[in-house]
Amino acid sequence: MSVRPGAGNLVRRATPADGVSLPFVVEVEGLPNLLHEFVHFVLRPPLAVDHGFDYALIPFDTARPEPRRWLWEELACCVVSCAYLAEQPARVAPWFAEQLGIQHHFYGVDGPERFLPHVAALVATHGAELDAVIDEAYAAAAAHLAAVGADDSGPPRHLAFAPLFAALCATTPPGSARG
């Protein structure tokens, strides 16, 4: 496991080229990244490079159910990793903003200031899908932690997407230079 600035922020199966004795590689910049990658793993095992996504399909088309599910999984990773950080509230909003701030690259949208309204429109029409994936992520994360003996496998607070997203949108007005 490597925790350092500039790390790849990944959890994947090890390859012979990695030269490690463990069956997996973990590289993260810090706890928020580790939590985020952990939630990706519990939603999409087994460990695979980039969670098995075919980046040749970029831009992902959220009009289709499968790519929309990928967005919901990413948003669930954001929400649940924030929930596990909730004992450090000053880290939650910046972490959520950082993670959503890069998603526009995968969906062919020019910048977060244009991507956030796209997400809002998707949530308005397909919000039940997002809620289901977030619930799945909370349950899977807690189950995996409980399975390895965690005394308290749930996060310190159960956060919801809507308030986190509303706060982010309030600080990222359309046309802003953010991201």
Side-chain angles (χ1 to χ4, degrees):
M1 181 166 163
S2 174
V3 180
R4 61 181 167 70
N9 294 318
L10 56 89
V11 177
R12 63 167 170 76
R13 290 189 189 282
T15 66
D18 293 316
V20 297
S21 60
L22 296 173
F24 53 87
V25 173
V26 178
E27 293 181 14
V28 293
E29 292 183 90
L31 178 61
N33 301 96
L34 180 60
L35 292 167
H36 189 92
E37 294 302 319
F38 170 67
V39 180
H40 269 300
F41 165 73
V42 301
L43 285 174
R44 195 174 279 274
L47 294 175
V49 173
D50 289 327
H51 315 292
F53 290 114
D54 180 357
Y55 288 108
L57 299 175
I58 293 174
F60 299 143
D61 178 5
T62 55
R64 295 180 39 239
E66 185 178 27
R68 196 169 52 246
R69 164 73 189 208
W70 300 338
L71 175 59
W72 298 153
E73 287 180 6
E74 187 62 43
L75 298 179
C77 290
C78 295
V79 170
V80 176
S81 63
C82 283
Y84 280 96
L85 288 174
E87 289 181 335
Q88 302 171 10
R91 296 177 84 178
V92 171
W95 175 247
F96 190 77
E98 177 183 327
Q99 292 306 293
L100 263 68
I102 62 172
Q103 291 305 307
H104 64 96
H105 295 289
F106 303 109
Y107 295 92
V109 179
D110 187 25
E113 67 280 355
R114 289 180 183 81
F115 183 66
L116 297 179
H118 176 71
V119 171
L122 286 171
V123 170
T125 57
H126 300 285
E129 293 173 358
L130 173 59
D131 292 341
V133 175
I134 291 172
D135 290 345
E136 178 186 344
Y138 271 118
H144 275 77
L145 290 171
V148 295
D151 291 335
D152 187 4
S153 59
R157 287 186 50 219
H158 188 97
L159 301 178
F161 174 78
L164 291 167
F165 188 69
L168 174 60
C169 289
T171 62
T172 309
S176 74
R178 190 180 178 131

